[in-house]
Structure formats: structure tokens, C-alpha cells
Amino acid sequence: PCNAVDQSDLVQNACVVVQVASVFTYSERNFDKAADYCETHDNELREACYFSLGFHASAFLKTSDLEKLMQGCNCAGEDKTNFMQGLVRVWLKNETENYNSNQLCQTNNNEDKKDCYKNISLMAEGYYDDPEALKNICSKAEEGYRDYCLGV
């Protein structure tokens, strides 16, 4: 448990990131149990926890499991944005025709689609030096959401 290691912010953050991945894996990918774990933390650690949960869920689940990924997003409650950023981070890293971030955003309801597309722009900053790469990804975005995807 994280209370058994150094209590510095950096070590605690790293511990929570690893712990939630373990909770998710050993609970047979149960979002409710992983979300319960995240809820035991305050502020930045809770945000890191939900980001990590989204990241690991996206890495563990196949593209055909989009509905299950969205179930996880719903479990994140007010921390849905952090969860979505973790999801999008993995999807951008593995961007292909069959595994694209736009698919992920299209499964959201209208209220959450805007945030999903904004997260593509935000998370792409760390992956793409070439602005054309983001333009290519966002060209596949749904009509009315391209500007959010491009960060305009």
C-alpha cells in the first residue's frame, strides 16, 4: 500500500498510478472497484489515479470494447476528464485506421464528445511534433467537433 512508502508527492503519485493498475487488473477489470480505490485519495492523487485508470484500461481492453471503456468513464464521475485523458493518451500513441481516437470520441454522448475531442488536442502535444499529424487525425472527427480536436 502507498502508506508504506515515502510520503513525498512524487513517490505517492507513482505509487497510486501503479496501485490502480493492479486493482483494475486483479479485480478482473472491474471499473467500480478501481474507482472506489481512486476515491480514497484527495485532489491531485485522485486525478492521477483516474488518469492512470483510463490509461491502463485503454491498454488492456481491445478497440471492440469501446462500450466497456465508456462504462469506466462513467465510473470516474467528476474525474471523467482525467480518465478520458488517460484513454486518449494510449489511443494517440497507437493511432491507426482501426484504432483511432475519433472512434473513442464518437462513442461519447454529445455533452462529453466536446471534452473528448479537446483531450485529443491536449494529449497530442506530447506525441506529435508535426502539426500535420494532428490535422490528419482531426480530419476524421465528426462534423462540428473538428475545431475542438484541433484545439482551436
Side-chain angles (χ1 to χ4, degrees), residues 20-35:
V20 76
S22 296
V23 169
F24 184 66
T25 301
Y26 293 115
S27 68
E28 297 179 2
R29 299 181 176 106
N30 183 311
F31 285 110
D32 290 324
K33 288 184 181 179

Side-chain angles (χ1 to χ4, degrees), residues 7-143:
Q7 295 298 297
S8 69
D9 290 344
L10 181 64
V11 172
Q12 285 298 298
N13 193 306
C15 184
V16 165
V17 164
V18 171
Q19 285 286 98
V20 76
S22 296
V23 169
F24 184 66
T25 301
Y26 293 115
S27 68
E28 297 179 2
R29 299 181 176 106
N30 183 311
F31 285 110
D32 290 324
K33 288 184 181 179
D36 286 347
Y37 173 76
C38 289
E39 288 300 317
T40 66
H41 300 287
D42 292 327
N43 304 324
E44 289 90 19
L45 288 179
R46 189 181 63 250
E47 291 170 7
C49 188
Y50 278 112
F51 179 93
S52 180
L53 178 57
F55 183 91
H56 287 92
S58 190
F60 288 130
L61 297 172
K62 297 181 169 78
T63 57
S64 60
D65 292 331
L66 287 172
E67 286 183 29
K68 186 153 178 131
L69 288 172
M70 289 306 103
Q71 173 195 354
C73 196
N74 292 333
C75 286
E78 292 180 16
D79 289 291
K80 190 181 285 190
T81 297
N82 298 303
F83 181 88
M84 185 61 68
Q85 286 175 355
L87 286 178
V88 169
R89 178 71 81 159
V90 172
W91 282 65
L92 284 172
K93 187 174 184 180
N94 297 296
E95 194 77 28
T96 66
E97 193 62 38
N98 295 322
Y99 194 74
N100 72 72
S101 306
N102 292 297
Q103 281 178 294
L104 184 62
C105 292
Q106 289 165 7
T107 62
N108 280 279
N109 64 40
N110 288 336
E111 186 178 315
D112 294 329
K113 276 185 189 186
K114 184 169 47 172
D115 287 336
C116 184
Y117 283 111
K118 284 180 180 179
N119 282 317
I120 290 176
S121 175
L122 180 68
M123 294 291 106
E125 288 178 24
Y127 281 121
Y128 302 112
D129 295 328
D130 179 10
E132 292 302 312
L134 181 59
K135 285 181 184 175
N136 184 42
I137 290 168
C138 294
S139 71
K140 300 171 191 135
E142 294 169 273
E143 197 67 40

